[in-house]
Amino acid sequence: MPEDINAELETDELVPSAEPHAAHLPLDKAIETQADLSAEINALGDAYVRALKDGAPAETQPRLDYPPYRSSILRHPTKSLHHTDPETIELYSPAFGHQDVHALESDLTIQHNGEPQGERIIVAGRVLDGNGRPVAGQLVEIWQANASGRYIHKRDQHPAPIDPNFTGIGRCITGPDGSYRFTTIKPGAYPWKNHLNAWRPAHIHFSLFGTEFTQRIITQMYFPGDQLFPLDPIYQTIVDQDARDRLVANYDHNLTEPEWALGYNWDIVLTGPKRTWTENEAFGTAGDSSEEAGE
Amino acid sequence: MSTKLVPTPAQTVGPFYGYALPYDKDNELLAPGSPGAIRLQGTVYDGSGQAIPDAILEIWQPDSEGRIVQKTGSLVRDGYTFTGWGRGAVGNSGVYTFTTVNPGPTKPGAAAFIAVAIFARGLTNRLFTRIYLPEDTGALANDPLLSSLDPERRKTLIARRDADGGLTFDIRLQGEGETVFLDFQ
Ligand SMILES: [Fe+2]
């Protein structure tokens, strides 16, 4: 084990000792192992499966309170979310268009002078609302580690190589059918400081807007068959297997381009909508003024 | 014709959004010093009362006349167009700032507020809340959300007016004075 591990464990991925769940944490957090964490993850998962059998409703979103993800312990509200009907401004979304995002921003492999290292991939799919309606003309942002699992971020101290030809940021505006498409590099898994030998499964961060502010979501897309899924406290913040599966892209050979890139398909479903739609909005005029739409 | 689909789950924004989500003038809904411009600021605290250095907020609001704006240009600001939307990461001391305008009421007699989404490392899903302007106490008293809350919780949603005309709105994710976070589903 590299001797700087303990020093790194002092950093902010550890929660202060005064946190409320301290009673069930080992005294010396630096020795928390994957086995310790997996035991917690499995206990919560088993309890959820039992509750389902007893008739509890399926959970579709991550738990805000999920102690195995240590950074969540002091950062989750303890009071239940207050139900309210969205009003006026919350029933609309900001408008984004081609003034905001250049078409080339959807290709993460052409942002520098040379080709980035790694496995070139295409990630494409559609953004839909809860009624199955395409979310047209809306902003999609992604960010990710490079092929060796390193982010271009000053706080990423993983001793894996930075790729001078890869930044790992992309944006696009969805098409009339809600479609998005990125060309990028398959990101690598990377270590983090939740516990000793914690590794994140390879993922791409996605940020999405709907037609209403209430639909705003940030999430992560994963790759099929990753052996790190059961070990990852962030992926497991979603305790329902079907819900977790919704974050895993499908390998799609029809998207794969010969001699060029492997294709992954991932559709995203937003909540709602809550607003009564007018005809115009239903046809997706949001996002661009008419003169821009012809580009 | 409408089929109900199950929504995709959220995941935390993580620690590394800082090179991806922020952009030039992201927190300037209009240029500082413009007529009507105010500063909106606050601190995001965790359950131990520590300011957290890795949260990022988005605000979405009507203009000063209460009109909901549907104009592009939030990511590449032209310096003239008020789009109503902005993004601001907190600094190392946990403080966020926006330059914006006081939102107008969207309906006569309604309480004016700014809609907020909060993301942070350690926060597994975004949180929604509202920043109400403090002045129109009649409208605040009649507001459907505020009047459904007990007084202690209600005050977590009302901004403080600063001497310079700006607004201060702190966010407490957990514990004493925990901000009211909203569920719209
Ligand atoms: Fe990540």
Side-chain angles (χ1 to χ4, degrees), chain A residues 70-91:
Chain A
R70 296 295 188 234
S71 305
S72 77
I73 292 174
L74 283 170
R75 296 185 174 193
H76 70 271
T78 52
K79 299 190 165 58
S80 52
L81 301 181
H82 187 84
H83 178 79
T84 194
D85 290 326
E87 288 181 55
T88 57
I89 188 80
E90 291 156 338
L91 293 169

Side-chain angles (χ1 to χ4, degrees), chain B residues 25-32 77 85-87 97-100:
Chain B
K25 299 191 176 77
D26 56 2
N27 62 346
E28 296 180 7
L29 284 75
L30 72 175
R77 300 202 191 270
W85 185 83
R87 175 181 282 167
T97 61
F98 288 95
T99 306
T100 187

